[in-house]
Structure formats: C-alpha cells, structure tokens
Amino acid sequence: MNDLAPAGVPGPTTCAGPAAGTALRRAAPALAAYAAVRLLGLLVLSVWSAAAGKDWHTLLTARWDSLWYTRVAGQGYGYTVPMPNGDLHSSLAFFPLLPGLERGLSALLPLSPADAGMAVAWVASAVAAWALYATGERLYGPRAGVALAALWAALPVGIVQSMAYSESLFTALAAWAVYAVLTERWVAAGVLASLAGLTRPVGAAVVAAVWLTAAVTLWRERSGGVRLRAALRAHPGMLSGVLLAPLGWCGFFLWVGARQGSFTGYLDVQGGWGNGFDGGLAFGAFIWQQLSGPTVAAGLGLLLGVGLVIWLYVHGVRRGQPLPLAVYGGTVLLLALTAKGYFGSKPRLMMPAYPLLLPLAVALARLRPVWSWLALGVLAAGSAVYGAFWLNGSGPP
C-alpha cells in the first residue's frame, strides 16, 4: 500500500476551502504543539546561558548573521569587512526582506532592529508551522499535520527559528507558496515565491516548484489532447503565477550585479564569503578529512546524517509525495549539500526543507497517541539541550 499517498480530500475545483478563522482553529493543536517545543527550547537556552554567564537575548539577536541584518536595516547596503586572508565580507550577501521588515517595525514600534528581527522570526515561525500543518492535513490527515509542525520545531537546530535570522521568514513564505501550488492558487503562489526570493538565495527552490509543477500540469493536459490555450483557461492564474514567481530572486540578483558592475556580481559577493557551489566537492573533501583523521567518529556521524536526509527524500518521492513538495524539498537539499563554505551551516541551510519530515510525520500519526507524543517529547528535549549547547558554543553561522 502507498503509505504516503494523499488522503481523499477535495481539490481546489470542488472546494473553495475553509475560512481563515476556521482554518486557524483547525491548526490550533499544531500551533500549540509548535509553541510548546519552542518555549522549551527558549527555557533551556535561558537557564544554560545564565549558568555560562551569557545572555540568551544577545545570543538570539546580536551575534553572527543577525548583526549583518541589523546593519542593513540601520545603514543600508555597502558595509564591508576585509578579512586577513584577502576575502571581503559584504552586506550585499544578505537578501533584503528581513532587514526591510526590521527597519519598518523598528520605525513603527518601540523596538530595536534586532528585537524587530526576533519578533519577525517568532511570528513567521508560527506562520510556517501553520503552513506545515495545512500541508500535512491536506495530504495525510490532521494528526500528520500536527506531527509535521512539531517535528519541524524539534529539529536539532530548531533554535534558529527563534533567532533574528531569515530561515523562519523564508520557510513561512515558501511553505505557503508550495501549499498554494498544491491548491492551484497560482497568483498567490507566484507572489509568495517572489517574496521568498527576496528573503534567501534558496528562494530559487520555490521558483522551481512553481515552474516545474506548472510545466508538468500543462504537459499532462497537452498529452490528453487539450490545446495550450484551453489548458491555461482550465488553470486560472497559472501564467501570472509563473511570471511573478522569479521576480524577487532575479530582481535582487540583478540589482547586486548592477551595483557591482558585473552580471555575476552576487556570485562574486558570495565568493568573498567563501561561499559558492562546487557540486559538493568541498563538502565531500571535508567528510573525507573527518573520516581519515582522529575525528573518525564525527565523520561517521556526519556521513550517517547525510545518508539519512537523502533517504528521507528518496523515500518520500517513492511513496508518492506531490510534485511541488518533491521539487522544493529536493532543490533545497541539493543546494545545501552542493554548496561550499562553512560546513557547520548545512543543518541550518536544510531546515526549510520540511518535506523531508513528511515520512516521519506520517509514521508518527499512525502510532498510538501516547507513543507519538512520547517520541515528540524526547525529540523536543533533545532539540532544546542541543540548541542551548550549540548557541553557547560555536553556534551559527
């Protein structure tokens, strides 16, 4: 039996969907579970930080990339830091939506840009959890939706969802964009994809989900003998959504290129940070270095982790995961694993790839409630401890 096949739910042509208030009430258990996991993480972080003589608030708002976002919010683009090895760290590496929201909120409310960034992350992470619930509920039932939201909260690096970073904002926009594709709300999908493209470089994954799903949908219609014009009429807003989807990502890429005087300006900026894409060669060399030295146990653990996420993706696809989710999750995973740069960032870079968690969510939904909640409780506790340890140690970027 296909245990990941979508449940029998009405499609967008037969049901307009529940009102927002009704949908929110349906999502309330998932949001409560999500909030409980993240509050546990914040509680453990505050206790751990106090014991270590550090401030949990500073760890969440004023270190690593969060400092760069607040600089963009306060000063605009143009800030650079020359590095001893000759690299140049430029604020142009950071996409504009989060610092734009930080600047706007700090102007409207008595918040610093850093606190505004944390507020955006907290609200956006709840919005993302709602989208994950809606996705799981639509495909596999309410219990799977709750499990998916809770699993995402309990990721080992889930504490990033509470930081003044852009992952929460991006995941909220991306998850609702993919959900809009699933329900054939093409214009909404295009707008959300464009906003996601203004948030993180991996916004390209959302564009890919919109474009490939639209292309496959039209190809199937054409294979059935339907003319292209008739196929487009059968899917209102599809062309608009396809055209809107890349505007944010492409717009920032081209703007940076114009500012740098080169079409590849954004890639050059990323190169100054030691980032880029090499097909995974640098990551493979890093793993081999771990395996061939005294850190062999860490290397084996890293290899096991990579194998696990690849297995989760393949398992989901083989069990019938819908195309938008498969394209989006696969592209996020591919970009994370093939990028060079700071290797400790890869778990954080994969955090928006929530479709990888769907097989686990379905498995948890099939357990007796007492066992599923016990499993989620153990994962939440582990995430809270690891998050506190991580932020009080090396932490992001």
Side-chain angles (χ1 to χ4, degrees), residues 18-297:
T22 302
L24 183 58
R25 285 193 293 273
R26 289 169 66 88
L31 296 177
Y34 178 83
V37 175
R38 293 293 355 116
L39 286 173
L40 176 63
L42 292 173
L43 176 62
V44 173
L45 174 66
S46 65
V47 173
W48 192 304
S49 301
K54 298 181 179 180
D55 178 31
W56 67 271
H57 179 265
T58 299
L59 293 176
L60 294 178
T61 62
R63 293 185 71 187
W64 306 295
D65 289 5
S66 58
L67 290 174
W68 285 90
Y69 284 118
T70 55
R71 286 192 189 103
V72 174
Q75 305 171 20
Y77 285 104
Y79 183 83
T80 59
V81 177
M83 305 304 291
N85 65 354
D87 287 344
L88 188 67
H89 289 186
S90 169
S91 60
L92 289 170
F94 297 87
F95 276 54
L97 186 56
L98 176 59
L101 290 174
E102 289 180 344
R103 184 170 186 169
L105 284 177
S106 62
L108 293 173
L109 301 172
L111 293 172
S112 68
D115 285 337
M118 185 170 67
V120 169
W122 287 19
V123 172
S125 65
V127 173
W130 184 5
L132 268 58
Y133 169 79
T135 301
E137 179 200 37
R138 178 177 180 83
L139 298 176
Y140 314 119
R143 290 189 62 195
V146 174
L148 182 60
L151 282 170
W152 189 65
L155 287 172
V157 293
I159 190 65
V160 174
Q161 297 164 20
S162 301
M163 297 177 66
Y165 268 47
S166 61
E167 276 78 7
S168 292
L169 178 60
F170 173 79
T171 305
L173 294 167
W176 280 114
V178 173
Y179 183 81
V181 176
L182 283 172
T183 56
E184 294 200 34
R185 295 174 172 90
W186 291 101
V187 174
V191 171
L192 290 166
S194 186
L195 290 172
L198 287 172
T199 308
R200 293 191 60 78
V202 75
V206 192
V207 179
V210 174
W211 279 13
L212 286 178
T213 304
V216 170
T217 300
L218 293 177
W219 176 77
R220 287 173 176 168
E221 297 273 5
R222 294 282 290 143
S223 298
V226 179
R227 291 180 177 273
L228 178 60
R229 184 172 295 180
L232 288 172
R233 283 201 301 266
H235 301 280
M238 177 183 284
L239 183 58
S240 297
V242 167
L243 294 175
L244 287 167
L247 293 184
W249 190 92
C250 289
F252 185 68
F253 185 95
L254 293 174
W255 179 79
V256 173
R259 183 169 176 137
Q260 295 293 97
S262 168
F263 178 75
T264 61
Y266 182 76
L267 299 179
D268 298 336
V269 168
Q270 286 286 359
W273 282 81
N275 297 328
F277 297 95
D278 62 359
L281 294 177
F283 188 38
F286 176 77
I287 294 177
W288 176 252
Q289 181 183 10
Q290 304 303 306
L291 292 172
S292 58
T295 56
V296 61

